Amino acid sequence: MVERSSPQDITIAGAGYVGLATAVALKSSAPHLAVTVIDAAPAGVWRNDTRASAIAAAASRMLDRLGCWEAILPEAQPITEMIVTDSRTSDPVRPVFLTFNGEVEPGEPFAHMVENRVLNASLRKKAEELGVTFIEGAPVNGFEHGEAHLTVRYSDKKSLRTRLLIAADGVKSRLREMAGIKVVNWEYGQSGIVCTVAHERPHHGRAEEHFLPAGPFAVLPLKGNRSSLVWTERTADAERLINEDDFVFEAELEQRFGLKLGEVHVEGSRKAFPLGLTLARDFVKPRFALVGDAAHGIHPIAGQGLNLGFKDAAALAETIVDADRLGLDIGSVAVLERYQTWRRFDTVQMGVTTDVLNRLFSNDNVPVRALRDFGLGLVERMPRLKGFFIRQAAGLSTTAPKLLQGQPI
Ligand SMILES: Cc1cc2nc3c(=O)[nH]c(=O)nc-3n(C[C@H](O)[C@H](O)[C@H](O)COP(=O)(O)OP(=O)(O)OC[C@H]3O[C@@H](n4cnc5c(N)ncnc54)[C@H](O)[C@@H]3O)c2cc1C
């Protein structure tokens, strides 16, 4: 086995945006810590990610504080307004039940839509500038406990020593399994079809969420006359749809999208992601912590998966940096418990909320429809409650980690 010579303080498995955000948050506040990011995917594969994400206001405050937002902003589409409808797929008109204006503070939208390749490029560049080491095309395939460190094995026969291993390896986390952490998990039997569409007319920054019997159909504005779709269908239907030729796929799309933005064409690839709820029972073990989807995979109905991951990154970085300043062992359970306590309640709350919303809205039961439409109408007439929901969606709370409030650690 080949061991890298210099031991690392922190090793992060997974260079998705949560792993990268954790690395940048740590190195920005504690530059003396040696941080390595190891990813299973080959170098540069993230440039082909065709997905886009809704970045809530709190997450953009964090990206700004980390010096990444300036490069993202020219390519970020502010969400200026949001509408919610509830109808059947074949209905010719989709009545609007709920509307939200898009600002949390004057001039500050509650969210921006950003393409993942733009977000990753900015975080990646900053991580390199700060001196984070990258090892790519190298899956982590095991780790063992030493006296005051872990030995992390990756690729074929390589290894490194680290004081703390952070697993940011996604919802099917192998590292979580290797650490013996159990999950609560169920599948929804739904998949989210994700693709980008170009349309003739401008969207004016308006996001739309149409609740249809098979699940939510979200139209999220991108720069230019383009939108990102998250289209929920039963898994078998989603598989069939993504394998259809362009003509059939676009005809099915038009039935849901309508013609208000003119003719619609799919740009690039379409992919379907099976949807479920996965919550890790523990977020930490000695010298080990979970962040992002490795800790929690939730339904995209509220567009909050990435934002939960950024909260983890900010809370874990703050926990580690505070402990390091006090001269404590950053890998000890006593230190890591603070992170677990901070993040677990919020995560379970969001997991349960998305689960209930999905069950409530992904069905065609007449009394349930009447009840939920009554509820939507009620919220529509309560501006203070709408303001509260917008601030929640924007991730703005006084208990949020410092970075999410735009403050340094
Ligand atoms: C259909 C859909 C739509 C969504 N829309 C939104 C949205 O609008 N807004 C939002 O906030 N969230 C959204 N989400 C959720 C969001 O995409 C996820 O929360 C986010 O991708 C999680 O990021 P992550 O970095 O934790 O994991 P991932 O992005 O899954 O990254 C994991 C990384 O780990 C690497 N890896 C895997 N195994 C190993 C290993 N053994 N060793 C080393 N590296 C490894 C992988 O190569 C990868 O780079 C959506 C999700 C879905 C499915």
Side-chain angles (χ1 to χ4, degrees):
M1 185 163 321
V2 186
E3 190 162 300
R4 284 169 70 88
S5 48
S6 50
Q8 296 297 297
D9 293 304
I10 296 161
T11 300
I12 300 171
Y17 36 61
V18 179
L20 289 174
T22 310
V24 172
L26 284 163
K27 277 300 257 187
S28 306
S29 310
H32 61 281
L33 292 177
V35 178
T36 288
V37 176
I38 308 183
D39 199 281
V45 77
W46 52 271
R47 290 195 185 92
N48 305 325
D49 189 342
T50 51
R51 283 186 298 164
S53 305
I55 311 265
S60 44
R61 286 183 190 183
M62 164 166 160
L63 290 165
D64 193 28
R65 168 55 62 185
L66 295 176
C68 299
W69 189 239
E70 205 186 341
I72 295 171
L73 190 58
E75 308 214 40
Q77 170 63 49
I79 298 182
T80 52
E81 184 196 5
M82 175 148 182
I83 63 155
V84 177
T85 75
D86 188 6
S87 56
R88 296 197 170 87
T89 312
S90 54
D91 288 352
V93 182
R94 303 206 186 291
V96 174
F97 282 93
L98 192 54
T99 54
F100 291 102
N101 283 325
E103 289 189 342
V104 280
E105 299 286 343
E108 185 179 13
F110 83 92
H112 286 81
M113 282 303 296
V114 178
E115 288 172 80
N116 287 2
R117 59 180 176 77
V118 174
L119 178 59
N120 268 36
S122 171
L123 283 164
R124 170 89 198 206
K125 184 163 173 281
K126 182 56 70 180
E128 283 169 1
E129 281 167 17
L130 292 167
V132 173
T133 306
F134 281 91
I135 302 173
E136 286 163 294
V140 170
N141 42 39
F143 53 90
E144 284 93 37
H145 283 266
E147 210 168 289
H149 67 272
L150 287 180
T151 300
V152 179
R153 285 185 278 108
Y154 62 94
S155 286
D156 262 351
K157 289 195 168 126
K158 296 193 180 131
S159 69
L160 57 75
R161 282 168 160 234
T162 190
R163 291 164 67 202
L164 173 65
L165 174 61
I166 299 175
D169 56 334
V171 74
K172 294 207 156 62
S173 174
R174 287 261 342 264
L175 278 92
R176 183 181 64 213
E177 219 177 287
M178 291 175 210
I181 295 179
K182 302 251 179 313
V183 293
V184 176
N185 164 260
W186 54 84
E187 302 302 320
Y188 292 121
Q190 296 169 312
S191 288
I193 302 172
V194 177
C195 63
T196 302
V197 295
H199 34 79
E200 276 180 309
R201 290 197 276 277
H203 45 56
H204 300 295
R206 180 158 103 162
E208 302 184 2
E209 181 131 34
H210 301 286
F211 288 117
L212 300 174
F217 177 84
V219 183
L220 303 155
L222 296 176
K223 277 278 174 189
N225 286 358
R226 296 157 66 239
S227 295
S228 171
L229 302 187
V230 182
W231 169 1
T232 313
E233 286 290 342
R234 278 172 283 274
T235 294
D237 293 337
E239 291 299 330
R240 176 186 60 77
L241 278 164
I242 57 163
N243 290 315
E244 292 285 10
D245 62 32
D246 287 353
F247 180 77
V248 177
F249 186 79
E250 283 177 5
E252 291 271 357
L253 177 63
E254 212 168 80
Q255 208 191 353
R256 290 152 180 86
F257 197 90
L259 287 167
K260 56 191 176 303
L261 296 181
E263 249 183 62
V264 177
H265 290 295
V266 178
E267 271 189 352
S269 62
R270 9 168 158 136
K271 283 195 182 135
F273 296 87
L275 303 176
L277 179 71
T278 306
L279 296 173
R281 287 190 184 271
D282 297 297
F283 282 19
V284 303
K285 288 260 172 170
R287 307 209 170 276
F288 185 85
L290 297 173
V291 286
D293 276 19
H296 42 70
I298 62 168
H299 196 287
I301 192 164
Q304 289 291 326
L306 170 143
N307 296 300
L308 277 188
F310 275 7
K311 279 193 201 171
D312 297 343
L316 184 57
E318 194 171 326
T319 302
I320 294 170
V321 171
D322 284 351
D324 183 61
R325 284 180 187 148
L326 293 170
L328 302 174
D329 177 359
I330 57 169
S332 71
V333 172
V335 165
L336 297 174
E337 272 289 343
R338 177 183 168 212
Y339 161 67
Q340 168 157 286
T341 313
W342 201 347
R343 292 298 305 130
R344 209 161 44 177
F345 178 70
D346 181 42
T347 304
V348 172
Q349 199 180 26
M350 184 58 80
V352 171
T353 305
T354 52
D355 187 72
V356 170
L357 284 176
N358 186 45
R359 285 172 203 277
L360 188 63
F361 283 97
S362 300
N363 74 65
D364 204 15
N365 179 297
V366 174
V368 174
R369 282 189 62 160
L371 191 69
R372 72 194 184 205
D373 293 347
F374 175 73
L376 289 175
L378 212 60
V379 176
E380 176 66 5
R381 287 191 291 278
M382 299 169 84
R384 284 167 75 95
L385 189 61
K386 284 208 286 184
F388 170 78
F389 283 145
I390 279 288
R391 289 191 75 77
Q392 289 294 309
L396 300 173
S397 110
T398 47
T399 57
K402 285 183 184 157
L403 284 172
L404 285 153
Q405 299 184 49
Q407 295 166 17
I409 294 177

